[in-house]
Amino acid sequence: QIMIVQAIIFSVFPVVMYLIGKELHSRAFGIAFGLLISLRGLNAILSATWIDLASPKMMTTDFPTAIGISLFLLFAVKWMKDSSKIHFSVLAGGALGLSMMLRTHVLFLAIAFIFFFSIVRLNIKRNIRLIVLFAFIFGMLTATTPWDLRNLRSNNTPMFYLYYSRIQTILEERYKSNESSL
């Protein structure tokens, strides 16, 4: 029963993809885009008995992350169409922040977005570019800070500790002092 409720909630994914297609091209493109995503989900559910494939009826982070990334893309496209609406930048940052809470690797999407943003939107003034960048980061921090504060109170590791610990482990392995050879 939980899986059925989850699949019903995840049915918002084709709707968001429709909105992205509509923003990028036309209503017909959006309908086709949403329909293809719906068929992909239906095929994943039906073929789950034959092959090991992530589907909306499985308890994984794949589909919630995909929904978060598609919301990020929707808000980013809306902002790119009308750069005077800074609230879309905040919403894009919030959607990306929530997606990062599911999978921290989505952080690289944020870096790619900032790079793409600086290339595509070079024609806007530097002050506005900085305001939008800060609005984007504000949205990300608004989504992730409550969870990080909760982790600090509970003595749990921070959300991005995975990256810090890997870098620390590599540095310790490569540059550890070998006192026995001295």
Side-chain angles (χ1 to χ4, degrees):
Q1 291 176 345
I2 291 174
M3 296 300 143
I4 292 171
V5 171
Q6 176 178 304
I8 291 169
I9 292 171
F10 289 170
S11 67
V12 73
F13 187 46
V15 175
V16 174
M17 298 308 282
Y18 159 76
L19 292 172
I20 291 172
K22 185 178 140 198
E23 286 291 324
L24 287 175
H25 191 269
S26 65
R27 176 179 274 174
F29 183 74
I31 290 171
F33 202 29
L35 186 63
L36 286 173
I37 292 297
S38 297
L39 290 175
R40 188 243 180 246
L42 182 63
N43 282 338
I45 291 171
L46 294 176
S47 63
T49 58
W50 298 300
I51 55 176
D52 190 20
L53 183 67
S55 73
K57 289 184 78 175
M58 295 178 72
M59 290 191 116
T60 62
T61 59
D62 294 343
F63 275 84
T65 304
I67 292 169
I69 291 172
S70 63
L71 283 171
F72 162 72
L73 289 174
L74 175 65
F75 295 135
V77 167
K78 282 185 171 281
W79 176 79
M80 291 286 188
K81 285 182 123 181
D82 188 4
S83 59
S84 66
K85 297 183 178 178
I86 296 177
H87 66 278
F88 284 127
S89 178
V90 175
L91 291 172
L96 199 65
L98 290 174
S99 299
M100 283 189 315
M101 290 176 67
L102 293 170
R103 292 208 173 170
T104 54
H105 297 84
V106 176
L107 177 65
F108 295 111
L109 183 63
I111 295 168
F113 172 73
I114 292 169
F115 179 72
F116 179 72
F117 165 72
S118 64
I119 289 175
V120 170
R121 288 292 178 175
L122 285 177
N123 58 350
I124 63 174
K125 296 179 183 175
R126 181 178 177 182
N127 294 340
I128 295 174
R129 193 178 320 151
L130 287 174
I131 289 171
V132 171
L133 181 62
F134 284 126
F136 180 76
I137 292 171
F138 174 75
M140 285 176 54
L141 291 176
T142 301
T144 58
T145 301
W147 189 257
D148 280 337
L149 292 176
R150 179 216 164 262
N151 283 347
L152 284 174
R153 276 186 275 145
S154 303
N155 292 329
N156 291 335
T157 58
M159 181 170 44
F160 300 111
Y161 182 72
L162 173 71
Y163 295 113
Y164 302 141
S165 66
R166 286 182 182 175
I167 292 170
Q168 185 178 8
T169 302
I170 290 171
L171 290 176
E172 286 175 355
E173 284 295 316
R174 289 189 180 167
Y175 301 110
K176 65 181 177 182
S177 63
N178 197 354
E179 295 175 4
S180 62
S181 65
L182 293 178

